[in-house]
Amino acid sequence: MDFLTLFLIYLCFVLTTVALLCTCSGRKGSFLLRSVSGATQVLSLVIPTQLQGVTQRVLHRLFHTRSWLFVVLHVALQAVVYGEYTWEVFVYCWELQFHLLLLLLPYLLLAGNVGCFVLCSRTNPGVITKSNHASLVKIYAYDGVLFQKGVVCPTCNMEKPARSKHCSFCNTCVHRFDHHCVWVNNCIGAFNAKYFFLYLLTLSAMAASIAIITAAFLIQVVLLSDMMHGSYIDDQGQEHAVEILFLIQHLFLTFPRIVFMLGFVVLLTLVLGAYCCFNLYLALTNQTSNEWYKSRRYGCSHHLTLQPRDRRVVYKNIYSKGVWMNLKEIFKPPIMWERKKK
């Protein structure tokens, strides 16, 4: 196994770990953060104090301040995957006479993904200022459960509009706050939610297309070699028919980087696909991930009624207006309609 293969394995392991931590960052009650916190307490007994201080400062810098580090990691990961795809998979598939349009599909998706990434990263998500505060307060009603009227942000010193939240990364309140995405180094709010959804969709499609083409190449190699009808001799000298496990091992020894990349992009496709479906669900029900997470503390009901103090408060999503209107709101936020009426 050469250096590049080891580097790929190490890089993907690190990025997967970081991605899991980023997904739950800001959610103090999450299982993963509790596990990490418990592990940190155990390690603090054996790790020198000075090293602990350095580690805490680094983690705070990564997960509690805006940084371009994850953008660099994001670009590096794409460069590694597309480099392997271009120099090996594309060349081999071209020799096997795969259709050119199929081979170029990942590059077309990459171009669209880069465009969505730039728009998502550079677009103002809906930062609430004193000049636009009055108009943003009128957009959404307070539901009385997740969003209470009269709550003032202690940092911005302004009343929080319904569906807004103060982002500790950007140190600003954001209109229709969803979450802060470290991979685009920006908050996801009312005005860039559509770009984030398209970015996530094209990213999932990129991983899926590379996985499908790579798998098709390996299957073609197996079919051309007629390996499935062969046999092999084990360490004890006994002959066995070729099995799936032996076939995977043989392909990994023959094309180590390609097989590893395939495993990684398949895993990435499943994770991104699931997250994309979750975001689609949020869009169709007119929820943000911040609202979805906070609403898990309450029961669900078709009607929001006043509850006695000794009874549990029941939450109902009052912002849903039907599937079509909910989806339309993502691509055309209500504030834009108000501006057109003026």
Side-chain angles (χ1 to χ4, degrees), residues 204 207-208 211 263-277:
S204 303
F264 177 71
V265 293
V266 167
L267 177 62
L268 200 61
T269 301
L270 295 175
V271 173
L272 290 174
Y275 188 48
C276 195
C277 291

Side-chain angles (χ1 to χ4, degrees), residues 85 90 93-94 96-105 213:
Y85 173 79
F90 186 94
C93 290
W94 179 254
L96 292 175
Q97 298 182 344
F98 277 56
H99 199 285
L100 180 60
L101 184 60
L102 176 63
L103 297 179
L104 293 178
L105 179 60
I213 294 172

